[in-house]
Amino acid sequence: MLKLRVNGEHRESGASSVEELLGELGYGDRTRGVAVALNGSVVPRTTWSEVQLRDADEIEIVGAVQGG
């Protein structure tokens, strides 16, 4: 299990990639409008399945919200 910091909160995860982490967090196919930063650098969507997570990584996940 990895010890990560996701959106400012400590959590343990069995995910090995950004894509797996998003699935674990319940995003599933709802990733349109979602952006991910890993240790302060934006992770391009096309590489989510390739970018490997490591212990103590800091991940920020933000999503666009529509409304008025």
Side-chain angles (χ1 to χ4, degrees), residues 35-50:
V36 177
L38 175 62
N39 300 321
S41 296
V42 173
V43 180
R45 177 183 307 272
T46 57
T47 64
W48 285 358
S49 64
E50 301 163 14

Side-chain angles (χ1 to χ4, degrees), residues 14-46:
S16 62
S17 69
V18 169
E19 183 176 64
E20 286 181 16
L21 178 64
L22 290 172
E24 190 177 279
L25 294 174
Y27 284 88
D29 293 335
R30 299 176 298 122
T31 58
R32 184 176 177 146
V34 172
V36 177
L38 175 62
N39 300 321
S41 296
V42 173
V43 180
R45 177 183 307 272
T46 57

Side-chain angles (χ1 to χ4, degrees), residues 10-11 13-14 23 33-34 36 43 54 57 60 63-64 66 68:
H10 294 283
R11 71 178 307 125
S13 173
V34 172
V36 177
V43 180
R54 293 189 174 90
D57 276 345
E60 292 293 326
Q66 184 176 353

